[in-house]
Structure formats: C-alpha cells, structure tokens
Amino acid sequence: MLLGTLRIAATKASIASQAKSISVPKPKRRRLSDSATQLNDDRACDEDITSGAKLSTASGSDLRRLKRITTTDLERREKRLALKEQNLRDRMNELDERIQSLSKKEDQTSQIISQIAEREAQSILRQLEEHFTCALCYEILASPYSLTPSHCGHTFCGLCILKWFFSRLHRVCGLWHESVDCPICRSVLTPTPERIPRLQSTFPFVPNRVTASVVESLVEKLINPPLYSQANVKKEEIESTWGSQSRKHRGRGCVRKREPSEEKDSEKVSDTLDVIAWREGGHLRTEWLKKDREGKKEMAYILNHWSTMGSQDFINMKQKLGV
C-alpha cells in the first residue's frame, strides 16, 4: 500500500516537471499607437472629403446667387449706400452746427460773467475811493490811524498823520512850539508832555481796526481778475490806442469837443486801468502794501517807546520821516 502511494507521487512530480519544460508561444499583441494613428488618418480623410463636398456645394450656391443679381440690383444697392452716406454727412453737419452754437453761447456767457466781474471790481474801487480815502495823500487808507476820540476821531494813513505830526516839531530843540491841529477840522491836539516818562494816554493816535479790516477785505477782492476778464488787456495797448486818437486832433488850432460816447469810452478805459493797477503785481497795489507796512512799523515803534522818547529821539524820527 505504501509502495503504491510513493509511485503515484513520483509520477505526478515527473509530469509537472515535463509541463514546466514545455514553452507555450504567447499570442502577438497589436500596438495601440499604430491603431490610433490609423484611426486618425481615416478620420482626416473623411473630413477632407466632407469639406470638399461642402465647398463645392457652397461655391455652387454662390455662383447661382451671383447669376441671379442683375445690374439693376447693383445700382439700387449703390443708391441706398449713397443715401445712407448723405444722411450721415447731414447728421455730421448738424452736429457741427450745434457745437458751434454751443461754443458761441459759452463765449457769450463768459463775456457776461467777465463784465459782471469787472463792474463789481470797479464798484469796489469806487467805494474805496469815496469812503476810504486819506485826506492828506488822497489815496486809499493804508494802516489807518485815528486821532483820539477826545479830540475829533478823524482817520488818516498811519504814515501820513505821523509826517503831519512831526512836521510841526522844531528841528533844533526837538519840541513842539506850535499847536498841532487836525488836518480836517482843525481841532487842536493836546500838547506832548516834555517830562519823561510820559503816560501812554498822551499818545495822540489810536489804530482804527474796523476801517483797516474793511479796507483790507475790499483790496483783497481786487487781487484776482475774473476768468475771462477784459482787464487782461495790456495797459500799453489801451494807452497807445487812446494816445493815437488824441494825437489825431493835436495841433489843428482848435479843440475838438468830445462826443458823449467817446467820454463814456474814456471813462471805461480809465476804470479798467485803475482795476488793473490794483491786481496782483500792479503798481498801485504795490505802493499801498509798502505804505501799509511802513505805517504799521513806525507807529508800533513810537507807541512802544513813547514814554521814554526824548528830544533827540523825536529829531531822529523827524529826519527818518523826511519832513
């Protein structure tokens, strides 16, 4: 029994070894890349055939359509295009006319604004000349100071009233031997005490701050010209124009009477020149600013040293003021 079992096992082992030694050939596999390339080539060929058919069909339809278009149709199309072009030109011309009309209205508006601004500037200047003029220099008040309320309270330029005050000072002894009165109403001022120290209340002038603030605000309004101002005309051009007109009638042995229109024009030109002179950098404004600074400086110095100023100090101030 045991012997039979061993024989069967040996037989199975020999059969298994023989099976391993025998090599079975494997089936050949096709490359995927080759098949994909072949498939793409087939598709491209089909697409070329389809597109060719479509092109032939489209070209045939276009040819049939061109055969149906006649000369009359072409002329109609040209007329329609020409009509559209003319309509566009008309609209462009209309837009140009509107733009021109708007620009004219804008110019008219700017002229009106400039005229209003010029009238306002001239009104301010007339207001300054009528109500804020110094009685000594006949110019716009610069650093206004008033005589003490106990006297009369009249207001003058600070530098002008100082010159008036020190013009009465005796040049040798440095004292006031004659009375000092108001240039307007002739009210006599209190004599300056000779004894030192003096009281500050004996100083005969007080700053008029209300008038100074009003004048400064009005002068500041004259600085900047309006945007489209007629005052931008050069002073030389205006003067040359009116100078040439006056030279035409010079030396004829008679005086030509001016027409009312010419007088109005001359007044307008003079007002315009005055306004220009008060603009930034104008000579009237420059002189006013200089006088205002000098008046404040001299008045502040005298007020601070009034109680201790002696005769020689008064003489030096008289020489400094040039009176």
Side-chain angles (χ1 to χ4, degrees), residues 4 89 93 124 139 160 185 235 243:
R89 288 179 180 175
N93 294 331
I124 291 172
E139 295 179 358
C160 293
C185 63
K235 179 180 178 181

Side-chain angles (χ1 to χ4, degrees), residues 11-31:
T11 304
K12 288 182 179 180
S14 63
I15 292 170
S17 62
Q18 290 177 3
K20 288 181 180 179
S21 62
I22 297 171
S23 61
V24 180
K26 295 181 180 180
K28 295 182 179 180
R29 296 182 180 179
R30 295 181 63 184
R31 292 183 180 178

Side-chain angles (χ1 to χ4, degrees), residues 244-290:
S244 61
Q245 289 183 1
S246 62
R247 284 193 296 271
K248 288 180 181 178
H249 307 284
R250 190 181 300 168
R252 295 187 179 181
C254 62
V255 178
R256 189 179 70 89
K257 186 178 180 181
R258 281 189 176 183
E259 298 293 333
S261 60
E262 292 181 356
E263 292 180 357
K264 290 181 180 179
D265 293 339
S266 63
E267 290 178 358
K268 288 181 180 179
V269 171
S270 63
D271 292 341
T272 303
L273 291 177
D274 291 339
V275 171
I276 293 173
W278 278 98
R279 301 292 187 204
E280 185 69 30
H283 69 279
L284 290 180
R285 176 177 173 79
T286 304
E287 293 174 0
W288 181 84
L289 289 174
K290 181 180 178 181

Side-chain angles (χ1 to χ4, degrees), residues 130 185 200 213:
E130 290 176 3
C185 63
Q200 290 290 340
S213 62

Side-chain angles (χ1 to χ4, degrees), residues 29-278:
R29 296 182 180 179
R30 295 181 63 184
R31 292 183 180 178
L32 293 176
S33 60
D34 296 339
S35 61
T37 304
Q38 185 66 28
L39 182 60
N40 290 332
D41 294 339
D42 295 340
R43 288 179 179 176
C45 183
D46 294 339
E47 288 177 357
D48 293 338
I49 294 170
T50 306
S51 61
K54 288 182 179 179
L55 287 172
S56 62
T57 306
S59 60
S61 62
D62 291 338
L63 289 173
R64 288 193 297 273
R65 190 182 302 166
L66 289 173
K67 288 180 181 179
R68 287 198 299 269
I69 296 174
T70 60
T71 308
T72 307
D73 295 335
L74 290 175
E75 291 178 354
R76 289 176 182 174
R77 291 184 180 183
E78 288 179 356
K79 288 181 180 179
R80 284 199 296 269
L81 291 175
L83 183 61
K84 289 181 179 179
E85 185 178 359
Q86 185 63 34
N87 291 333
L88 290 175
R89 288 179 180 175
D90 294 339
R91 291 186 65 183
M92 288 177 63
N93 294 331
E94 184 179 356
L95 290 174
D96 291 337
E97 291 177 357
R98 288 184 180 180
I99 291 171
Q100 291 178 0
S101 64
L102 288 175
S103 63
K104 288 181 180 179
K105 289 181 180 179
E106 185 179 0
D107 293 339
Q108 293 175 358
T109 305
S110 64
Q111 289 178 1
I112 293 172
I113 292 172
S114 66
Q115 291 175 1
I116 293 172
E118 285 300 320
R119 290 174 185 172
E120 183 180 359
Q122 292 172 5
S123 175
I124 291 172
L125 189 57
R126 282 195 295 268
Q127 185 178 358
L128 284 170
E129 292 174 349
E130 290 176 3
H131 303 288
F132 301 98
T133 301
C134 177
L136 292 173
C137 64
Y138 300 102
E139 295 179 358
I140 307 300
L141 288 169
S143 179
Y145 271 76
S146 301
L147 300 179
T148 54
S150 60
H151 297 99
C152 61
H154 285 130
T155 303
F156 308 90
C157 295
L159 199 60
C160 293
I161 196 62
L162 276 181
K163 290 181 178 180
W164 175 270
F165 182 67
F166 279 93
S167 65
R168 307 297 180 89
L169 181 73
H170 196 269
R171 192 178 297 274
V172 178
C173 64
L175 297 175
W176 283 270
H177 294 294
E178 56 181 294
S179 61
V180 182
D181 52 6
C182 174
I184 296 177
C185 63
R186 300 301 176 185
S187 62
V188 180
L189 303 182
T190 303
T192 302
E194 298 180 9
R195 183 178 298 179
I196 298 174
R198 300 182 190 85
L199 296 176
Q200 290 290 340
S201 59
T202 60
F203 188 66
F205 312 115
V206 291
N208 194 333
R209 294 184 176 86
V210 176
T211 302
S213 62
V214 173
V215 171
E216 288 175 0
S217 64
L218 292 176
V219 169
E220 287 297 321
K221 290 181 180 180
L222 295 174
I223 292 179
N224 297 320
L227 187 59
Y228 301 97
S229 176
Q230 295 177 354
N232 292 329
V233 181
K234 294 182 180 179
K235 179 180 178 181
E236 293 80 8
E237 294 179 357
I238 299 176
E239 289 180 345
S240 63
T241 302
W242 286 94
S244 61
Q245 289 183 1
S246 62
R247 284 193 296 271
K248 288 180 181 178
H249 307 284
R250 190 181 300 168
R252 295 187 179 181
C254 62
V255 178
R256 189 179 70 89
K257 186 178 180 181
R258 281 189 176 183
E259 298 293 333
S261 60
E262 292 181 356
E263 292 180 357
K264 290 181 180 179
D265 293 339
S266 63
E267 290 178 358
K268 288 181 180 179
V269 171
S270 63
D271 292 341
T272 303
L273 291 177
D274 291 339
V275 171
I276 293 173
W278 278 98

Side-chain angles (χ1 to χ4, degrees), residues 285-320:
R285 176 177 173 79
T286 304
E287 293 174 0
W288 181 84
L289 289 174
K290 181 180 178 181
K291 189 176 181 181
D292 186 72
R293 287 193 300 268
E294 291 179 356
K296 290 178 180 178
K297 179 181 176 181
E298 300 301 336
M299 276 290 186
Y301 177 81
I302 296 175
L303 182 60
N304 292 332
H305 299 83
W306 177 254
S307 59
T308 58
M309 289 183 73
S311 300
Q312 188 60 41
D313 296 327
F314 288 144
I315 293 172
N316 294 335
M317 180 57 65
K318 180 181 178 70
Q319 293 175 355
K320 185 178 181 181

